[in-house]
Amino acid sequence: MGHVSTHVLDTAAGRPAAGVAITLRRLTADGPGELLARAVTNADGRTDGPLLEGAALTAGTYELLFQVGAYFARSGAAGGSGDGEPPFLDAVPVRFGVSDPDGRYHVPLLITPWSYATYRGS
């Protein structure tokens, strides 16, 4: 059964990023797309389950939006918004395509207050 999952790692601090708010949307040609899921990462930096699975996962373009600015502000990290300045990174969008609805789409996010990286995980 296909699914979309994610996790967030704070590579600057060397730990999972707990408390990051995430939304998942299916994008459409007209408008902001369809909101499919909202979640917050747990102590392990993961969501408690897949964000989307089974028949709800169809071929198309999706976007995960990670609210990392609020996470860094709470953690007091330099470069976060805890110092009264706007954070360098606030909301990080990751757009990805699903070609096989039966596939596993694990989309990790590695973050620091100044950079991020992603990849298709397993």
Side-chain angles (χ1 to χ4, degrees), residues 49-102:
L51 296 169
L52 191 64
E53 61 185 332
L57 181 59
T58 59
T61 304
Y62 292 79
E63 181 180 83
L64 285 164
L65 186 63
F66 300 87
Q67 299 297 331
V68 301
Y71 164 78
F72 284 121
R74 283 191 310 276
S75 71
S81 61
D83 56 7
E85 298 293 322
F88 180 69
L89 293 176
D90 188 18
V92 173
V94 176
R95 290 188 176 181
F96 61 98
V98 169
S99 58
D100 176 10
D102 293 324

Side-chain angles (χ1 to χ4, degrees), residues 19-70:
V20 176
I22 302 167
T23 57
L24 174 65
R25 291 183 175 276
R26 181 181 295 116
L27 301 181
T28 59
D30 56 337
E34 176 186 5
L35 178 62
L36 301 172
R38 292 181 192 271
V40 176
T41 56
N42 59 26
D44 196 32
R46 299 177 182 275
T47 59
D48 291 332
L51 296 169
L52 191 64
E53 61 185 332
L57 181 59
T58 59
T61 304
Y62 292 79
E63 181 180 83
L64 285 164
L65 186 63
F66 300 87
Q67 299 297 331
V68 301

